[in-house]
Amino acid sequence: MRQKLVIGNWKMNGNADLVVAHREQLADTAFTAEVAICPPFVYLHAAQHHLADTNVALGAQDASDHAEGAYTGQISAQMLHEQGCKYVIIGHSERRAMCAETSEDVAEKFVQVQAKGLIPVLCVGETLFQREQGQTQDVVVGQLKAVVARCGIKALAKAVLAYEPVWAIGTGKAASTEQAQEVHQSLRQWLHKQDAEVAEGLQILYGGSVKPDNAAALFSQKDIDGGLIGGAALQPEAFAAIVQAAS
Ligand code: 13P
């Protein structure tokens, strides 16, 4: 049985007070799922302090594809390690689209993150156009393959995969449980052909308009092991309800 995992991706929202609000809300919530929050970089230090004696882990929203050097504005995996991060989201569709990150760039980030003992949360997902063209499977497997080609299949034993259909992110229009399960299953089946043990152990999260009212149905699917939460992760009560739905 894979453990359920819920990760809050704040994107460019929130502040240090929101960390405290989550800590207090989750302290009043009974849950068994693994939980992490990913605030913007500048709040990681405060978050590390506020979450120190809790069972809420910390994550970052990105990391550099380089270890160190003249990369103005970038943050290294080592720095994230020092700030107490456990997870690092990489390959989010917003970064692929707005920062022109390629799957090869994402694979280099994966390498850097794992080199520091952090867990990459690798995001894959198709646009609406790609879905309508019947390319969903090729797109998501292609994004995954780039990492496997660079790092080897065994590297996924220490990673998390997140399926985030681009058309469902921030739109209020989540994938149906059937649509999500279908893609999760196809990702796991592809992985199975490479390495059955890795495929069975890998947590595959769903992200895209997860809310308290659809979380339980999504998380009940065989291949959906939790969620990567955007908008609802800015509301401590809603986030806690989603964590409970995974517990
Ligand atoms: P929403 O939950 O706001 O749709 O965002 C999902 C997401 O992109 C999480 O990484």
Side-chain angles (χ1 to χ4, degrees):
M1 247 319 249
R2 289 176 298 271
Q3 169 75 313
K4 291 275 196 266
L5 168 63
V6 177
I7 299 180
N9 173 12
W10 294 8
K11 310 188 180 185
M12 201 172 72
N13 297 294
N15 50 41
D17 290 344
L18 185 58
V19 180
V20 178
H22 274 294
R23 184 191 67 190
E24 289 171 358
Q25 183 70 48
L26 289 168
D28 290 339
T29 306
F31 62 92
T32 55
E34 296 177 286
V35 180
I37 59 172
C38 303
F41 291 130
V42 293
Y43 304 123
L44 289 175
H45 187 69
Q48 181 182 24
H49 168 75
H50 291 308
L51 300 178
D53 52 358
T54 73
N55 48 3
V56 180
L58 194 55
Q61 299 175 18
D62 183 40
S64 176
D65 51 347
H66 300 279
E68 61 183 347
Y71 301 103
T72 301
Q74 295 195 23
I75 304 284
S76 73
Q78 173 64 28
M79 293 165 185
L80 299 175
H81 173 70
E82 287 168 16
Q83 296 301 311
C85 288
K86 177 175 180 183
Y87 299 99
V88 183
I89 297 169
I90 57 167
H92 193 282
S93 61
E94 287 154 14
R95 294 199 58 87
R96 290 183 194 259
M98 296 172 198
C99 308
E101 282 185 11
T102 65
S103 290
E104 289 68 36
D105 298 333
V106 174
E108 292 307 318
K109 292 181 179 215
F110 191 104
V111 171
Q112 291 296 332
V113 167
Q114 281 199 332
K116 297 302 168 191
L118 304 177
I119 300 174
V121 180
L122 171 65
C123 299
V124 300
E126 84 288 2
T127 63
L128 184 59
F129 178 78
Q130 289 165 330
R131 173 164 281 264
E132 287 172 350
Q133 300 294 309
Q135 298 167 352
T136 299
Q137 159 100 1
D138 286 349
V139 170
V140 298
V141 170
Q143 290 169 336
L144 176 57
K145 264 186 188 167
V147 168
V148 173
R150 174 68 179 82
C151 309
I153 186 70
K154 290 288 184 202
L156 285 171
K158 291 190 176 129
V160 172
L161 186 59
Y163 169 57
E164 295 206 312
V166 177
W167 48 270
I169 295 176
T171 60
K173 189 179 178 302
S176 69
T177 51
E178 295 77 18
Q179 284 173 320
Q181 166 59 23
E182 186 184 14
V183 178
H184 282 234
Q185 185 176 29
S186 71
L187 284 164
R188 207 181 299 284
Q189 279 171 349
W190 183 83
L191 287 162
H192 234 278
K193 288 186 211 135
Q194 325 302 316
D195 188 310
E197 197 182 341
V198 167
E200 284 309 312
L202 184 67
Q203 289 166 312
I204 309 182
L205 311 185
Y206 168 79
S209 297
V210 179
K211 303 281 183 255
D213 61 0
N214 62 12
L218 286 161
F219 301 162
S220 71
Q221 299 299 302
K222 181 172 169 290
D223 291 295
I224 302 183
D225 305 308
L228 183 54
I229 318 301
L234 302 176
Q235 302 159 12
E237 265 186 53
F239 187 66
I242 292 169
V243 167
Q244 274 193 312
S247 296

